[in-house]
Amino acid sequence: MNNLSFVELKESNIDEAVKLFVEYFNITEKTNWTYDKAFRRIHEAITKEDSLSLMILLNQKVVGFEMGYLEQYEDGLVFDLHEIVIAKAYQRKGYGKALLTEAMKRAKDKGAFLCQLIAINDAAHDKFYSSLGIQNCTNLVLKSRIIWDSSF
């Protein structure tokens, strides 16, 4: 893990994150992200007030990024992790763990007391997040409704 560094993900370096996002999801996850849609998703997160978004570099090469932000609740600040992407060739080598550890440290330094996120419900994600001490919530449930074909 020598030669690792972290830089803030911001508008001036967003292009590297967008390209990594599109490549990762379209090749690995078999999705159909366009550059414009990925740009919008990442741009929304990094320009949000109290954004806490980082890229991880190995020998000055971007190998992943996370995007999140601090959100105020009645009992304090919460770090909402919005997305983490590690290039396929660098997965399962500790880079994702190093990236989230750094992000949570920075969130704590800014006053956050909790990290929360929405994740895919499968064994791989569960193993990764639990290795960082992130557990499933028992007091919340995600709810959704498709609205494009429904009448109100």
Side-chain angles (χ1 to χ4, degrees):
M1 292 285 222
N2 293 334
N3 301 316
L4 272 187
S5 58
F6 303 95
V7 296
E8 184 180 343
L9 175 53
K10 49 190 172 184
E11 289 179 284
S12 61
N13 59 14
I14 191 174
D15 189 59
E16 294 176 83
V18 173
K19 288 176 182 175
L20 178 60
F21 186 98
V22 170
E23 178 183 312
Y24 175 79
F25 282 101
N26 287 355
I27 293 172
T28 306
E29 304 290 331
K30 309 287 188 240
T31 59
N32 294 304
W33 282 94
T34 64
Y35 182 94
D36 291 341
K37 288 178 182 177
F39 180 93
R40 179 177 175 169
R41 178 169 174 80
I42 295 169
H43 190 265
E44 287 172 347
I46 67 172
T47 57
K48 193 172 189 107
E49 185 175 350
D50 286 327
S51 173
L52 201 166
S53 301
L54 301 172
M55 293 193 297
I56 184 169
L57 290 77
L58 176 63
N59 298 319
Q60 302 303 311
K61 178 186 178 193
V62 176
V63 297
F65 68 93
E66 65 78 25
M67 24 189 230
Y69 53 90
L70 301 178
E71 187 172 16
Q72 184 67 56
Y73 284 86
E74 64 172 277
D75 48 354
L77 284 175
V78 171
F79 173 48
D80 277 316
L81 178 64
H82 194 62
E83 189 86 63
I84 179 172
V85 177
I86 301 294
K88 186 73 170 168
Y90 297 93
Q91 290 185 355
R92 294 180 178 82
K93 296 180 178 174
Y95 299 113
K97 193 171 188 175
L99 178 57
L100 284 190
T101 298
E102 180 67 19
M104 288 189 292
K105 178 189 172 301
R106 292 184 187 201
K108 181 181 175 186
D109 290 347
K110 291 182 176 197
F113 76 98
L114 178 73
C115 174
Q116 66 184 16
L117 59 106
I118 297 172
I120 301 296
N121 188 15
D122 65 14
H125 286 84
D126 192 50
K127 181 179 179 183
F128 172 70
Y129 289 114
S130 64
S131 76
L132 289 156
I134 300 171
Q135 302 299 318
N136 292 342
C137 290
T138 57
N139 63 333
L140 298 172
V141 63
L142 180 64
K143 299 201 181 270
S144 66
R145 175 184 172 182
I146 295 174
I147 59 173
W148 59 268
D149 66 352
S150 302
S151 60
F152 290 96

